[in-house]
């Protein structure tokens, strides 16, 4: 990238809801394939993230260091398993909420008020 002139557009390789999502899992795309509400540009000097109306610029050296630090952190078990644990916790909460709502509705059907 440093030897090339100009910049490239990048977007997330997987959806934000994916277990495989992380902020450095990006792919280079043509301008036509960006999400105008959330995309990156990379140039010889840095990386810019455009999200909604916010613009965040990071120098290329700082971005590369943050990426290396991120890779080191994700080797720690707690951070490595975070997205899986979070997905499980959300699933568990949804199942529990659904059961509570179903029980409440069943009790209403037999004319008992909670």
């Amino acid at each position: 990238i440093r030897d090339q002139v100009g910049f490239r557009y990048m977007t997330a390789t997987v959806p934000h809801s994916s277990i495989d999502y992380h902020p450095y899992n990006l792919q280079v795309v043509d301008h036509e394939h960006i999400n105008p509400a959330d995309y990156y540009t990379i140039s010889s000097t840095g990386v810019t993230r455009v999200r909604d109306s916010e613009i965040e610029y990071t120098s290329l050296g700082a971005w590369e260091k943050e990426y290396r630090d991120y890779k080191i952190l994700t080797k720690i078990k707690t951070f490595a398993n975070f997205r899986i644990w979070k997905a499980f916790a959300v699933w568990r909460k949804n199942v529990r909420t659904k059961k509570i709502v179903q029980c409440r509705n069943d009790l209403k059907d037999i004319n008992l008020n909670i």
Side-chain angles (χ1 to χ4, degrees):
I1 291 288
R2 288 190 172 130
D3 296 332
Q4 297 176 357
V5 177
F7 65 94
R8 300 284 187 252
Y9 291 99
M10 297 187 302
T11 61
T13 303
V14 296
H16 293 280
S17 59
S18 171
I19 290 175
D20 297 322
Y21 173 81
H22 66 77
Y24 300 99
N25 191 2
L26 303 172
Q27 63 184 348
V28 175
V29 296
D30 294 327
H31 180 265
E32 299 80 34
H33 296 104
I34 65 167
N35 172 358
D38 189 11
Y39 67 92
Y40 297 79
T41 63
I42 187 167
S43 69
S44 61
T45 59
V47 176
T48 302
R49 181 172 189 188
V50 179
R51 186 171 191 182
D52 297 323
S53 61
E54 294 182 29
I55 298 172
E56 177 185 355
Y57 174 81
T58 307
S59 70
L60 196 55
W63 192 77
E64 289 172 338
K65 182 186 180 323
E66 289 173 7
Y67 172 70
R68 286 190 303 272
D69 293 346
Y70 176 85
K71 294 302 282 182
I72 291 168
L73 281 173
T74 57
K75 290 181 182 177
I76 299 170
K77 186 177 179 181
T78 299
F79 296 108
N81 294 326
F82 172 76
R83 292 196 65 89
I84 294 169
W85 290 341
K86 182 177 179 183
F88 176 74
V90 169
W91 170 82
R92 183 173 179 227
K93 180 182 176 190
N94 288 337
V95 168
R96 183 177 172 162
T97 300
K98 185 177 178 180
K99 285 182 179 182
I100 290 171
V101 168
Q102 183 62 48
C103 288
R104 185 178 296 139
N105 290 338
D106 289 346
L107 288 172
K108 285 180 182 177
D109 287 345
I110 58 172
N111 293 326
L112 291 177
N113 292 324
I114 297 179

